[in-house]
């Protein structure tokens, strides 16, 4: 069969809903849906998020109240910020564990309850705490408690780069760490107490024996976790050097099979740098997994440009099954979003952001900018919209949406 290549269409339309939604010039890379609203943040100072309805109307800011474990010696145990670049240690400008890099903020479901998940970053390593939270009764403040992973992840973790909710009641945290003795993936198994908790590793990965499960996945070769996704009845975990998968949800995992394409295992390593928790997906080597018909596709960034790789049958994918798709040009892959067998793919490009539905290029996207920072699909009245934080080469993020 011929290799699929992009073809133009005129069916897509887009609109910019908000310029600089946080009002501080920031280029946050976090956009998600929580309790029916879009959330964007944290702000440049790490201290708030903004909630937006699907039509682009701002509902209001959300401040943070974060319980720390005493590592930051400021005269408080409740902190307003997850940290910001160049903050002064042991002040409330840094995070509760003295985090000082842009933070990750996402939504997930833990034991059937929606939760907010946050991780500040430490570019030089030493990240210990991940934070789980919820809105308080006022609806204007999100309160967070710490889960101290210090005894599990070692001293090399720089942050959590990926949060994965596979519907099985647990939340997987993909670590940004180079440590050969650190787990690649940590799963939170149970809700936290209000004051925070130390991680207790479960020997059999069940909540009855602990509150976290740590997984060492050899196929990843002790590199940063770039992507975690559930596609076609399998869970995929990827680093710049390897791809592993297991049948079913993570809670069902008995072992991970190495399905790394040879070109990936032997290729250059463009994503091993100090980008940590709050970096956009385009900063990584592997960007997303999504269903492509009966198969699966993922994006890869290399020193020579972006690549899209596919396996024709999800049920029988192994290391030899992957092939590169032709025709996807740009600077970096910035999104691979699952959409019921027709993935939405974004490629950053100085000439203008390029969007695809599978191998079909969407036109009428001039004005979106050159860079996609984050994206999420939302269904409204039978239509599917791609909501995205986009930006130019410099300047603040914009919230836009594209009708698919």
């Amino acid at each position: 069969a011929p290799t699929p290549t992009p073809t133009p269409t005129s069916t897509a339309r887009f609109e910019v809903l908000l310029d600089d939604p946080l009002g501080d010039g920031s280029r946050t890379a976090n956009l998600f849906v929580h309790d029916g609203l879009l959330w964007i943040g944290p702000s440049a100072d790490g201290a708030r998020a903004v909630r937006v309805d699907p039509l682009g109307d701002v509902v209001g800011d959300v401040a943070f109240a974060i319980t720390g474990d005493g590592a930051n010696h400021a005269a408080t145990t409740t902190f307003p910020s997850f940290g910001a670049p160049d903050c002064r240690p042991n002040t409330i400008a840094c995070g509760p564990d003295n985090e000082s890099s842009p933070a990750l903020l996402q939504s997930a479901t833990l034991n059937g309850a929606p939760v907010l998940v946050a991780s500040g970053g430490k570019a030089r390593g030493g990240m210990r705490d991940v934070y789980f939270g919820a809105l308080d009764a006022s609806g204007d403040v999100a309160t967070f408690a710490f889960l101290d992973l210090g005894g599990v992840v070692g001293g090399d973790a720089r942050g959590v780069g990926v949060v994965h909710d596979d519907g099985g009641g647990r939340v997987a945290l993909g670590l940004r760490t180079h440590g050969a003795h650190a787990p690649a993936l940590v799963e939170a198994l149970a809700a936290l107490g209000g004051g925070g908790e130390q991680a207790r590793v479960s020997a059999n990965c069940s909540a009855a024996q602990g509150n976290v499960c740590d997984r060492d996945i050899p196929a990843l070769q002790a590199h940063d976790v770039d992507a975690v996704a559930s596609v076609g009845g399998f869970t995929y975990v990827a680093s710049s050097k390897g791809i592993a998968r297991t049948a079913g949800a993570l809670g069902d995992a008995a072992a991970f099979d190495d399905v790394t394409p040879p070109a990936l295992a032997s290729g250059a390593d463009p994503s091993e740098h100090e980008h940590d928790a709050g970096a956009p997906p385009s900063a990584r080597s592997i960007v997303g997994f999504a269903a492509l018909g009966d198969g699966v596709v993922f994006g890869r960034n290399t020193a020579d440009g972006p690549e899209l790789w596919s396996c024709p049958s999800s049920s029988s994918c192994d290391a030899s099954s992957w092939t590169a798709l032709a025709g996807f040009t740009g600077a970096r892959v910035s999104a691979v979003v699952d959409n019921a067998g027709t993935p939405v793919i974004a490629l950053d490009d100085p000439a203008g952001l390029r969007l695809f539905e599978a191998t079909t290029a969407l036109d009428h996207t001039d004005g979106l900018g050159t860079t996609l920072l984050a994206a999420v699909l939302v269904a409204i009245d039978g239509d599917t919209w791609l909501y995205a934080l986009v930006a130019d080469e410099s300047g603040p993020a914009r919230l836009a949406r594209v009708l698919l």
Side-chain angles (χ1 to χ4, degrees):
T3 301
T5 56
T7 55
T9 182
S10 59
T11 60
R13 62 185 178 89
F14 84 94
E15 56 186 329
V16 174
L17 300 175
L18 291 171
D19 286 307
D20 192 11
L22 286 159
D24 61 1
S26 60
R27 295 167 66 91
T28 182
N30 299 305
L31 171 68
F32 58 93
V33 175
H34 186 73
D35 286 342
L37 295 173
L38 296 159
W39 285 54
I40 302 168
S43 50
D45 61 1
R48 61 185 173 87
V50 65
R51 292 180 294 165
V52 181
D53 73 16
L55 296 179
D57 294 324
V58 175
V59 175
D61 282 353
V62 176
F64 304 141
I66 314 157
T67 300
D69 61 358
N72 183 328
H73 298 303
T76 182
T77 57
T78 302
F79 290 78
S81 171
F82 291 107
D86 301 319
C87 65
R88 187 160 61 89
N90 298 315
T91 69
I92 60 172
C94 289
D97 194 35
N98 277 318
E99 296 94 339
S100 59
S101 295
L104 173 144
L105 180 64
Q106 291 293 324
S107 180
T109 301
L110 181 59
N111 284 346
V115 295
L116 297 165
V117 185
S119 169
K122 290 186 173 182
R124 294 180 177 84
M127 184 282 294
R128 301 185 309 164
D129 293 338
V130 178
Y131 304 93
F132 291 82
L135 282 172
D136 69 2
S138 74
D140 298 324
V141 178
T143 61
F144 290 84
F146 69 88
L147 175 61
D148 189 337
L149 300 175
V152 179
V153 302
D156 294 317
R158 307 187 312 281
V160 173
V162 180
V163 172
H164 174 65
D165 175 0
D166 67 2
R170 58 184 63 196
V171 176
L173 310 169
L175 297 175
R176 310 298 290 169
T177 180
H178 301 289
H181 303 293
L185 202 66
V186 173
E187 297 155 40
L189 304 176
L192 302 184
E197 294 182 10
Q198 299 292 317
R200 304 184 310 279
V201 176
S202 171
N204 64 357
C205 285
S206 74
Q209 295 192 14
N211 57 9
V212 301
C213 169
D214 63 335
R215 297 188 189 271
D216 180 18
I217 304 175
L220 306 185
Q221 299 189 34
H223 283 61
D224 294 349
V225 173
D226 282 347
V228 185
S230 298
V231 181
F234 292 85
T235 299
Y236 292 81
V237 184
S239 74
S240 63
K241 285 296 189 181
I243 297 174
R245 77 171 193 170
T246 185
L250 287 168
D252 305 321
F256 283 82
D257 296 322
D258 188 340
V259 296
T260 307
L264 183 63
S266 61
D269 202 354
S271 72
E272 295 302 307
H273 43 52
E274 289 190 349
H275 286 302
D276 43 48
S282 60
R284 303 171 192 157
S285 178
I286 304 300
V287 181
F289 288 82
L292 177 59
D294 293 329
V296 60
V297 63
F298 70 87
R300 182 191 182 206
N301 289 311
T302 77
D304 297 323
E307 300 173 349
L308 274 296
W309 289 74
S310 73
C311 174
S313 173
S314 177
S315 63
S316 58
C317 221
D318 60 26
S320 64
S321 304
W322 302 97
T323 57
L325 301 178
F328 292 91
T329 59
R332 306 280 293 180
V333 184
S334 51
V336 177
V337 183
D338 198 291
N339 186 24
T342 305
V344 181
I345 298 165
L347 284 88
D348 293 355
D349 194 290
L353 185 67
R354 307 187 68 207
L355 296 177
F356 298 82
E357 285 188 282
T359 58
T360 300
L362 305 183
D363 61 8
H364 301 295
T365 57
D366 293 344
L368 276 179
T370 63
T371 301
L372 187 145
L373 302 169
V376 64
L377 294 183
V378 179
I380 303 174
D381 296 332
D383 292 325
T384 299
W385 292 84
L386 177 79
Y387 284 78
L389 290 175
V390 296
D392 297 316
E393 294 286 307
S394 60
R398 301 185 292 274
L399 176 65
R401 67 176 186 171
V402 179
L403 177 62
L404 300 175

